[in-house]
Amino acid sequence: MGSVVDSSNKANGSALANKKVTVIFVLGGPGSGKGTQCANIVQHFGYTHLSAGDLLRAEMKSGSENGEMIQNMIKEGKIVPSEVTIKLLEKAMLDNGNDKFLIDGFPRNEENRAAFEAVTGIEPEFVLFFDCSEEEMQKRLLGRNQGREDDNIETIKKRFKVYMESSLPVIEYYNAKGKVRKIDAAKPVEEVFEAVKACFTPVAAS
């Protein structure tokens, strides 16, 4: 694809270069249960959970100029520019005392992925991919009623389309490197977590 990061210019000026961190990307469509499982992983394996969406929403509420731009893009179901999200993730990792991070809902596309690796010099340990049918995800999103303005049927359909077009190439990229751990996310929460635990146990033991 021509987007391979040149290792010689990795981590150009990233403060994260001096902090040895383990990163696991958590990917899956909207409503695939990423947040629930991340909470379980945090509890059992001591990771810090960074949700790209939560960081962006917090930035929106902060009233910064970036916040307004982010709000407009999310309303349109569009993807926020990589550098904005990466800056928020970098800051969150540097401000945190932990060295093990779950990054949930990012990278959203190939450009995000290449930019993250180029800016931070970090490749994920592995990618946890929650595989779930569109019908099941839609049912969950409409049923959860968390009061999020992006949980209406129109925006949900936009989010599915963006996810399918943008995120799947990222999963394919890491899959080719043998870094994807695929989870059947349509099963009950407890069963899903049993599968998740199996992915983490070798990492936790190393």
Side-chain angles (χ1 to χ4, degrees):
M1 296 267 300
S3 62
V4 176
V5 177
D6 175 6
S7 58
S8 63
N9 69 357
K10 267 188 178 183
N12 44 8
S14 170
L16 277 175
N18 305 318
K19 187 175 177 177
K20 179 84 181 77
V21 296
T22 299
V23 166
I24 288 163
F25 288 145
V26 182
L27 296 177
S32 59
K34 297 190 304 290
T36 303
Q37 295 303 333
C38 283
N40 287 336
I41 296 163
V42 166
Q43 213 175 340
H44 282 75
F45 297 106
Y47 278 73
T48 294
H49 174 209
L50 298 177
S51 159
D54 287 352
L55 289 171
L56 290 167
R57 279 186 281 276
E59 187 69 15
M60 273 166 19
K61 289 196 177 92
S62 75
S64 71
E65 59 182 90
N66 265 350
E68 200 171 316
M69 177 269 290
I70 292 165
Q71 187 161 16
N72 291 335
M73 294 198 77
I74 288 178
K75 210 173 267 180
E76 286 295 307
K78 289 179 182 164
I79 290 177
V80 174
S82 296
E83 60 272 18
V84 173
T85 311
I86 292 167
K87 274 203 175 72
L88 293 173
L89 287 167
E90 265 194 309
K91 184 179 186 316
M93 285 196 268
L94 288 167
D95 290 351
N96 191 288
N98 203 349
D99 60 356
K100 301 190 297 185
F101 297 95
L102 299 172
I103 297 186
D104 160 16
F106 184 92
R108 296 279 300 275
N109 58 22
E110 262 294 285
E111 192 263 335
N112 272 180
R113 177 201 66 71
F116 182 85
E117 289 186 11
V119 170
T120 65
I122 295 168
E123 270 200 40
E125 190 76 22
F126 62 84
V127 175
L128 201 57
F129 170 42
F130 290 100
D131 193 25
C132 197
S133 72
E134 188 169 324
E135 293 73 23
E136 177 63 24
M137 290 192 282
Q138 187 168 311
K139 193 171 78 182
R140 290 177 183 180
L141 287 175
L142 292 171
R144 75 182 181 182
N145 194 18
Q146 290 179 347
R148 277 173 47 179
E149 64 178 75
D150 55 353
D151 275 354
N152 61 68
I153 193 73
E154 284 312 304
T155 309
I156 285 170
K157 284 195 183 304
K158 272 187 204 166
R159 285 166 73 200
F160 282 143
K161 188 170 184 294
V162 169
Y163 164 68
M164 291 306 291
E165 288 171 0
S166 308
S167 298
L168 287 179
V170 176
I171 291 156
E172 283 161 9
Y173 172 87
Y174 284 121
N175 201 30
K177 300 185 94 173
K179 287 191 173 227
V180 172
R181 311 274 191 277
K182 187 171 167 182
I183 305 286
D184 179 356
K187 291 181 174 174
V189 173
E190 297 75 18
E191 283 182 47
V192 173
F193 188 53
E194 284 307 312
V196 168
K197 276 201 288 200
C199 295
F200 276 83
T201 308
V203 175
S206 63

